[in-house]
Amino acid sequence: MVAAICVFCGSSSGSDPVFAAAARSLGAAIVDGGHSMVYGGGHVGLMGVIADAALEAGGSVVGVMTEQLVAAEVAHLGLTELEITPSMHMRKARMAELSDGVIVLPGGFGTLDEAFEMITWNQLGLIATPVVFLDVENYFASLFDFIGTSVSAGFLSPANAALALRAVTVDEAVRLAVTAPPPFSPKWLA
């Protein structure tokens, strides 16, 4: 199956070169799998690394960025296409519209906001899109511990917790983003 894979990742490269290496590998793997990539449109941090890797591999890369970020001169100007939105909410909505699956690389608050908005939209039945965290060097281990704690404490059902998929290799992340079954029917509580 050919898919448009959305990638959420940091506008920083992080402190360990392994993060940039994973971004390069993921960009190439998306293209090698015959897929296109959608992402936040930046030339900085892991965003720039993955976009450059996908473009160098001959892939189609669509960036979606807000007017504010374009004005801050962080837009990647060498993309296949750059869409500009007036707000962050519209940016996330457009990225969801363009994507068949999501892969989350390490990043900060913005990356987590994007990922959890997609998970929440899945939970509410607004979209049916796999969301896969590529757990580079156990970066997301404590996040998945927290999700388990939320289930144990009764704030999150096991079915809703399963909306956050976890992969430890690039190939596994791409496979899950493309072939994971659609999320379950909405659970309005938990």
Side-chain angles (χ1 to χ4, degrees), residues 78-93:
L79 302 176
T80 309
E81 184 177 350
L82 178 64
E83 293 191 18
I84 301 170
T85 65
S87 71
M88 291 299 279
H89 177 74
M90 291 178 78
R91 177 189 193 197
K92 290 181 280 189

Side-chain angles (χ1 to χ4, degrees), residues 6 17 34 40 50 58 65 67 70 79-80 88 107 113 116-117 123-125 127 129 132 137 150 165 172 185:
C6 180
I50 194 167
M65 183 170 270
E67 295 166 349
V70 171
L79 302 176
T80 309
M88 291 299 279
D113 168 65
F116 278 97
E117 184 130 21
Q123 181 179 332
L124 296 173
I127 62 173
T129 305
V132 183
E137 294 294 313
S150 295
L165 302 171
E172 181 186 21
S185 299

Side-chain angles (χ1 to χ4, degrees), residues 39-61:
Y39 84 118
H43 70 81
V44 294
L46 295 184
M47 293 173 71
V49 171
I50 194 167
D52 288 343
L55 290 166
E56 288 167 11
S60 172
V61 180

Side-chain angles (χ1 to χ4, degrees), residues 27-45:
I30 288 170
V31 176
D32 289 347
H35 311 296
S36 62
M37 189 178 92
V38 176
Y39 84 118
H43 70 81
V44 294

